[in-house]
Amino acid sequence: MKIKSDISKVLTLALLISSIASVSNAEDLNVRTIKGQNRIQTSIESAKLVDSKTVVIANAYTYADSLSAYNVASKYNAKLILVDNKTDLSKELKEIKPTKAYLIGGQNTLNGKAVASVYENVKDVKRLDGKNRYETNDKTLAESGYHNVGVADGRNYPDALSASGLLKDKNLGLKLVNGAKAYNTDKNVVYTFGGINSVKQDGGKRLAGHNRYNTSEVINNELGKVDTVAITTGENYADALSSINVVNSRSKVSVMLTNKISSNQENYIKDISNKIIIGGMLPKETMDKIYGRVSEKPKDDTVTTPEKPKDDTGTTPTTPEKPKDDTGTTNPSDDKNRSYEYVYFDVALEEYQQQLDIHRPKTLDLESIKSGVPAGYKLVSTDDEIRDFKNVLPNKLMTNYVYVAKEDRKVVNTQDEYNKYMISKLKTGIDDGETIQVAKNVNPSEALSRVASGMGFELNQSINRLENSPEKYKSITINMLIKQRYWTKEDYNKNEYNNNLSKIEKLINDSGVNNLNTNKEKVENFAKYLMAKFPYNKDLDNELKNRSPYSITNYGTAVCEGFTFTYNQAMLLLDIPSISIEGDSHMEAMLYINNSWKVYNVTGIKNWKSGLEIKDINSSLLSRSILKPEDYPNEQLRNELVSLYK
């Protein structure tokens, strides 16, 4: 079987997408397409439809918080803009001149250049976030003041997005729940979207179909006659999220999720005056039908794989339906005749939702599988994992996935491996925007973020995953920022970072601590060296000399922050767990020495002669410190910090 999607063609076509495209021969049909080079640009273009001075910012690669952005965007008729942590919105915000901005999601979800550009260009900024997607959703409901709501499953996106037009028309908020569990709410539930496999608990009127597309039809029938329909893919939440801008741009808009357009959907849009297609992911055949063009029958060698059946959770089942005998059990005899399906899957193509179907061999030949890996990619699945496919029991019929990654992609399979890799990268410099492919049980580490923060940097670790993947692998994208960039106006640069580490290594050598035997001697003597050599900065208006991670190495002076940052950079190179502890007006270093944590005040004073101030972590000393008990990390985080260096 030929490869369905050529990687280079996918990327080339994606880069050729125009910002806003209208087809001339469809003018009489009032059809237009809004799409950008990627999901972020598509949201920016669609936001231009909304006349508003309020913007709502959400992560383009995690749908959970972005779904909740609907509540604020709808209530305040705001522009919804999707970003990643490297998105610079300065140009767009200068054009919009917003008076209010909402950030939806916490620091791990939403940070970086996007957030910095919001704070630089908008005076009134408010972040709404909780400890999980449901708490964040509750905060958006509280902010927007909705009492009447529609309920949707927070574990998936299609039903919630299909409902946005109806929710807007009925002035309802969107409440997300874990559909598998019972929930309690003080809201008045008017609708429940999706079947019982999506939301188990009943509430209000249930609007559900047998799959995501049928549910979309049921919701739109409830909405009734409209003048505008936003049409977008049901296979990707990002473009569908941008349809919220269409909903906010005019009255009574329906949202139709589709892929291979059905006859029911064709009939539905036939008499609607305005059709706005969001994004560029609909198949050509579907686009032709919407535009009223005659579509040529595809050639045999380009026939696409038939759409997989959907269940009423709005997701594609990862396990194909098994043939049954008349007892209702799987027929074992079918196993020897079936084809094993191998789907090569790479999260680097997440933006285009591509699953590369390489071949479907009837026999399990390890070498033929390896030879089928496309150029520029490497095999991630192990030989043993592939051989284990032979051992699938007859009553365990399943789809087997063989995973690949781009050749230059780092792939890690355990949390410990990820942590060790990141510690090594902190010692050598991180490529901003580096993406690491990780096993599904590997997650961003708060301990790593605390280490970077103690050195004067923000380490953002953002999870990316494909919606329709079996999720054995996902990816984590790493972005670095200067922690005190608001004051210092610095941007992270790997070369500058590495140059600074070289200067720190020289300080370590000059201090003589490399010749000492114990860590206790090293940390205390380096602190004394640093404090005696470099004076406290008296030019308090010069923030580069005050609180930059490079204050000491570039200017030879600093305040408490600059001293602590430099000290912790040295501790990283010495493999000693160290972070910063901040109070309202002071920062100190906290180190793990001789199986216990100590707090060191390493701020230099000119003509320093007194002894080094060292404190234990206990209530009696905390009460006499500028630092409060809540400023210290909890025991679990302290243990994680120690484990980074083992």
Side-chain angles (χ1 to χ4, degrees), residues 15 27 95 122 132 168 186 202 237 291 335 339 355 464 519:
L15 292 173
E27 288 178 353
E95 292 175 354
V122 187
N132 56 41
K168 178 77 172 182
D186 60 353
D202 288 327
Y237 63 85
Y291 275 108
D335 179 68
S339 295
Q355 292 188 1
N464 313 301
N519 282 349

Coordinates of all heavy atoms in Angstrom, one line a residue, residues 15 27 95 122 132 168 186 202 237 291 335 339 355 464 519:
L15 N 2.6 25.6 4.7 CA 3.2 26.9 4.6 C 2.7 27.8 3.5 O 2.9 29.0 3.5 CB 4.7 26.7 4.5 CG 5.5 26.1 5.7 CD1 6.9 25.8 5.3 CD2 5.4 27.0 6.9
E27 N -18.9 33.3 -5.0 CA -19.4 34.6 -4.4 C -20.9 34.6 -4.2 O -21.4 35.1 -3.2 CB -18.9 35.8 -5.3 CG -17.4 36.1 -5.2 CD -17.0 37.2 -6.1 OE1 -17.9 37.6 -6.9 OE2 -15.9 37.6 -6.0
E95 N -2.4 46.9 17.3 CA -3.5 47.2 16.3 C -4.9 47.2 17.0 O -5.7 48.0 16.8 CB -3.5 46.2 15.2 CG -2.3 46.3 14.3 CD -2.2 45.3 13.2 OE1 -3.1 44.3 13.2 OE2 -1.3 45.3 12.3
V122 N -1.1 45.7 27.4 CA -2.5 45.8 28.0 C -2.3 46.1 29.5 O -1.6 45.4 30.2 CB -3.3 44.5 27.8 CG1 -4.7 44.7 28.3 CG2 -3.3 44.1 26.3
N132 N -6.8 22.3 38.0 CA -7.1 21.4 36.9 C -8.1 22.0 36.0 O -8.5 23.1 36.2 CB -7.6 20.0 37.4 CG -8.8 20.1 38.3 OD1 -9.7 21.0 38.0 ND2 -8.9 19.4 39.4
K168 N -24.3 30.5 23.0 CA -24.3 32.0 22.8 C -25.7 32.5 22.6 O -26.1 33.5 23.2 CB -23.4 32.3 21.6 CG -23.4 33.8 21.3 CD -22.5 34.6 22.2 CE -22.3 36.0 21.7 NZ -21.4 36.8 22.6
D186 N -23.8 24.2 41.5 CA -24.8 25.2 42.0 C -25.4 25.9 40.8 O -26.2 26.8 40.9 CB -24.2 26.2 42.9 CG -23.0 27.0 42.3 OD1 -22.6 26.7 41.2 OD2 -22.5 27.9 42.9
D202 N -27.4 12.8 34.0 CA -28.4 13.6 33.3 C -28.5 15.0 33.9 O -28.2 15.2 35.1 CB -29.8 12.9 33.3 CG -29.8 11.6 32.5 OD1 -29.2 11.6 31.4 OD2 -30.6 10.7 32.9
Y237 N -9.3 20.2 17.3 CA -10.0 21.2 18.1 C -9.5 22.6 17.8 O -10.3 23.6 18.0 CB -9.8 20.9 19.6 CG -8.3 21.0 20.0 CD1 -7.8 22.2 20.4 CD2 -7.5 19.8 20.1 CE1 -6.4 22.3 20.8 CE2 -6.2 19.9 20.5 CZ -5.7 21.1 20.8 OH -4.4 21.2 21.2
Y291 N -18.5 24.7 -1.6 CA -18.4 25.7 -2.5 C -19.3 25.5 -3.8 O -19.4 26.4 -4.6 CB -16.9 25.9 -3.0 CG -16.1 26.8 -2.1 CD1 -15.2 26.2 -1.2 CD2 -16.3 28.1 -2.1 CE1 -14.4 27.0 -0.4 CE2 -15.6 29.0 -1.2 CZ -14.6 28.4 -0.4 OH -13.9 29.2 0.4
D335 N -8.8 -14.2 14.0 CA -7.5 -13.6 14.3 C -6.4 -14.0 13.3 O -5.7 -13.2 12.8 CB -7.1 -14.1 15.7 CG -5.7 -13.5 16.0 OD1 -5.7 -12.2 16.2 OD2 -4.7 -14.2 16.1
S339 N -5.6 -8.6 9.1 CA -4.3 -7.8 8.8 C -4.0 -7.0 10.0 O -4.9 -6.4 10.7 CB -4.6 -6.8 7.6 OG -4.8 -7.6 6.4
Q355 N -1.6 11.4 10.7 CA -1.2 10.0 11.1 C -0.7 9.3 9.8 O -1.5 9.2 8.8 CB -2.3 9.3 11.7 CG -2.7 9.9 13.1 CD -3.7 9.0 13.8 OE1 -4.1 7.9 13.3 NE2 -4.1 9.4 15.0
N464 N 2.3 18.6 24.4 CA 1.6 18.6 23.2 C 1.2 17.1 22.9 O 1.9 16.2 23.2 CB 2.4 19.0 22.0 CG 3.2 20.3 22.3 OD1 2.6 21.3 22.6 ND2 4.5 20.2 22.3
N519 N 31.0 18.6 50.0 CA 30.1 19.6 49.5 C 29.8 20.7 50.5 O 29.6 21.9 50.1 CB 28.7 18.9 49.2 CG 28.8 18.2 47.9 OD1 29.7 18.3 47.1 ND2 27.8 17.4 47.6

